[in-house]
Amino acid sequence: MNALKRYSRKEMLDLFTEESKLNRWLEVELAVLKVRERHQLIPTGVFEKIRNLSSINTDRIKELEKSSRHDLLAFVQSVEEQIGDLSQYLHLGLTSYDIEDSALGLLFKQAGELLLDSLNKASGALRSKATQYKKQLAIGRTHGVHAEPLSLGVRILGWFSSLKRDRERLSYALKGVSFGKISGAVGNYAFITPALEKEILDELGLEIEPVSTQIVPRDRIAFLVTTAAVATANIERIALQIRLFQQTEVGEASEPFYKGQKGSSAMPHKRNPILCERLCGISRLIRSRVTPVLENVSLWYERDISHSSVERFVIPEIFILLDYMYLTLFEVVNNLEINTSLIEKNLKLLDGYIYSEELLVLLQKKGLRRGKAYQIVQGLVNTAMDEGIDLKDAIKHNPDLVSIISGQELDELGKPDIYLSNVEDIFARCQE
């Protein structure tokens, strides 16, 4: 947990403290008492008395756990010490994971709200930046090689669109873990009824696990972690592209570099994309957690405890690190430095040959078969590039092309309108 502190905002980190966990356990125990009293299954006033008398004493619970070697039982014993004879009503007919899994459902709801808030901040920054640069033409690249021009705003809008999908997937996955169970030792409801369970979980704002065994099935958590891994892959995609744009030979965009920041102990000129590199590294870490949680799904009979040790590490990591990633992405995008002069320079780097498809389409419209038109354009481009002639000059020196391409059509070749003409339509179908 200490290693995660630097990657967390306080509100998220506080949810994963021992005291926070124990308070959620107490909240579940009290909800059980409240509903039982409502149905006159325990004397009137017991719930209020226990609520007023009980509190979390982490030191005492740790001390009790040393002998019992059972954290939930140590918690129950600590509360028993505080409430005296009223303990006859505490944890009545319940098993540990009635409390632990229902409390885990509460944690998922609370942490999920913070996580989606961070995602929304990053998503909003991307949408804003995309809108700002929707009319900025930039070179598109495939295989790392110059391809055709595109809207810089549409490129960034694609990043926004991926976060929009992640929001939908994570929202669904978070609903899928906001479940609890109060069904007894092996889920047989021997000492509590399904009707009471529903009331208790309604009190906590949780859904009922239809068939819970002794625990809430772990495919729910596996789905959440797998979904989070996909989300980190999309963050890495964005971060990696910004790193590529920050390469000296490209220089089209760069993450913020703050006053007093240093890039190298040896080379004072260095400005390294450390935030984006960090996002790429953390993405690998989160993806490595997918296999353990998938293996947690298969347990012996109604349960064993092999899943518990994994979850104690993985669940805090997933929420704390993914939250950090979204907040860092927001910082990077919100302060992203766009170098429009280098964008314009890179557009001209290939002397107009990036408009080869535009010439190909023009020749097809003139009546040439596609194969023949392709052969003409490729031959023209290859020869002209070797000779260091730009595309329009190469066309002017080709008698066959001059005879069929008018001066006006030649002037129109490579104008940005064609590559920006549908930008508004693309933005319109990619709403918040």
Side-chain angles (χ1 to χ4, degrees):
M1 182 62 70
N2 287 336
L4 294 177
K5 284 183 179 179
R6 67 175 296 193
Y7 296 116
S8 175
R9 53 173 164 158
K10 188 176 186 301
E11 300 96 318
M12 182 66 84
L13 192 63
D14 284 348
L15 291 176
F16 291 94
T17 64
E18 187 70 9
E19 185 174 2
S20 180
K21 179 189 76 174
L22 294 170
N23 273 306
R24 284 188 294 272
W25 287 2
L26 182 58
E27 185 178 351
V28 177
E29 292 278 9
L30 289 172
V32 174
L33 291 167
K34 185 177 183 179
V35 171
R36 278 184 160 152
E37 184 175 313
R38 184 186 297 154
H39 288 270
Q40 300 180 337
L41 298 173
I42 60 176
T44 301
V46 166
F47 161 71
E48 196 67 37
K49 288 176 183 177
I50 291 179
R51 185 174 68 174
N52 291 336
L53 288 170
S54 56
S55 61
I56 298 302
N57 186 332
T58 53
D59 291 337
R60 179 56 180 157
I61 293 169
K62 286 179 183 177
E63 184 181 342
L64 289 166
E65 190 180 353
K66 287 179 183 178
S67 58
S68 68
R69 301 179 70 84
H70 193 293
D71 56 357
L72 194 285
L73 185 55
F75 155 76
V76 172
Q77 288 176 312
S78 172
V79 176
E80 283 184 65
E81 291 176 348
Q82 298 172 53
I83 64 176
D85 291 343
L86 293 172
S87 63
Q88 65 179 297
Y89 307 111
L90 182 69
H91 204 67
L92 180 64
L94 303 181
T95 190
S96 300
Y97 266 76
D98 286 335
I99 306 304
E100 293 197 35
D101 266 0
S102 297
L104 192 57
L106 290 175
L107 171 64
F108 286 138
K109 284 193 71 173
Q110 294 162 357
E113 288 176 4
L114 290 176
L115 184 61
L116 291 176
D117 177 64
S118 298
L119 188 161
N120 288 337
K121 287 180 180 176
S123 179
L126 283 168
R127 179 78 191 196
S128 176
K129 195 68 69 173
T131 302
Q132 182 182 352
Y133 289 98
K134 66 165 66 174
K135 296 298 184 181
Q136 174 64 56
L137 206 65
I139 186 64
R141 296 173 176 87
T142 58
H143 307 274
V145 178
H146 283 207
E148 287 186 355
L150 81 170
S151 157
L152 175 59
V154 168
R155 171 186 276 148
I156 298 172
L157 189 70
W159 304 347
F160 161 80
S161 184
S162 68
L163 261 64
K164 182 181 177 183
R165 293 191 296 276
D166 287 330
R167 183 196 301 135
E168 293 167 355
R169 287 187 286 247
L170 282 169
S171 296
Y172 181 78
L174 286 164
K175 287 180 182 177
V177 289
S178 297
F179 277 67
K181 56 89 64 180
I182 308 288
S183 58
V186 289
N188 57 14
Y189 295 96
F191 303 104
I192 198 164
T193 66
L196 281 178
E197 177 190 48
K198 183 180 186 312
E199 275 194 55
I200 294 164
L201 294 179
D202 283 349
E203 194 75 32
L204 295 167
L206 297 174
E207 298 295 321
I208 303 167
E209 182 56 52
V211 184
S212 58
T213 70
Q214 193 178 70
I215 62 171
V216 172
R218 262 36 197 176
D219 61 286
R220 294 186 180 278
I221 296 175
F223 184 75
L224 173 65
V225 174
T226 305
T227 303
V230 173
T232 68
N234 275 329
I235 295 172
E236 183 180 15
R237 171 198 175 200
I238 299 167
L240 179 60
Q241 290 199 50
I242 293 172
R243 288 170 59 192
L244 290 171
F245 291 132
Q246 193 163 333
Q247 289 184 103
T248 305
E249 293 83 356
V250 180
E252 294 183 8
S254 59
E255 68 174 48
F257 192 85
Y258 299 107
K259 184 178 180 181
Q261 185 174 338
K262 306 293 188 291
S264 166
S265 64
M267 297 168 285
H269 72 278
K270 293 296 293 296
R271 293 189 175 190
N272 302 324
I274 59 169
L275 293 177
C276 289
E277 289 171 336
R278 191 179 299 161
L279 291 176
C280 292
I282 295 174
S283 178
R284 299 168 195 164
L285 177 65
I286 292 181
R287 288 200 297 273
S288 74
R289 279 22 184 183
V290 170
T291 297
V293 295
L294 287 173
E295 292 175 350
N296 276 356
V297 176
S298 299
L299 302 173
W300 286 23
Y301 300 104
E302 276 59 59
R303 80 163 286 213
D304 61 60
I305 204 170
S306 60
H307 63 88
S308 177
S309 55
V310 173
E311 290 170 2
R312 288 169 192 257
F313 289 94
V314 170
I315 292 172
E317 285 179 345
I318 292 298
F319 280 96
I320 291 171
L321 291 176
L322 186 53
D323 186 58
Y324 169 82
M325 292 180 80
Y326 281 128
L327 291 175
T328 301
L329 183 62
F330 167 76
E331 177 187 353
V332 169
V333 174
N334 202 44
N335 299 288
L336 191 65
E337 298 175 10
I338 305 291
N339 192 327
T340 54
S341 63
L342 278 177
I343 289 174
E344 298 291 342
K345 179 182 178 182
N346 288 338
L347 275 168
K348 300 172 183 175
L349 203 59
L350 289 188
D351 291 328
Y353 298 111
I354 57 175
Y355 305 113
S356 64
E357 187 187 17
E358 194 176 337
L359 177 59
L360 173 64
V361 170
L362 178 60
L363 293 180
Q364 286 183 256
K365 288 180 177 180
K366 294 288 185 179
L368 274 71
R369 291 187 176 183
R370 190 183 186 284
K372 179 63 176 176
Y374 192 101
Q375 184 180 10
I376 291 171
V377 174
Q378 187 177 41
L380 176 78
V381 167
N382 288 341
T383 301
M385 287 181 74
D386 289 343
E387 295 176 357
I389 305 171
D390 71 33
L391 180 63
K392 289 187 176 181
D393 281 343
I395 294 171
K396 290 175 184 177
H397 288 90
N398 187 301
D400 294 330
L401 293 180
V402 168
S403 65
I404 58 175
I405 297 176
S406 69
Q408 183 179 350
E409 288 171 329
L410 190 61
D411 289 339
E412 291 294 321
L413 187 67
K415 287 197 172 180
D417 294 2
I418 186 174
Y419 302 102
L420 299 174
S421 58
N422 295 300
V423 166
E424 296 297 344
D425 288 340
I426 298 171
F427 269 78
R429 69 187 185 191
C430 191
Q431 301 298 322
E432 289 285 354

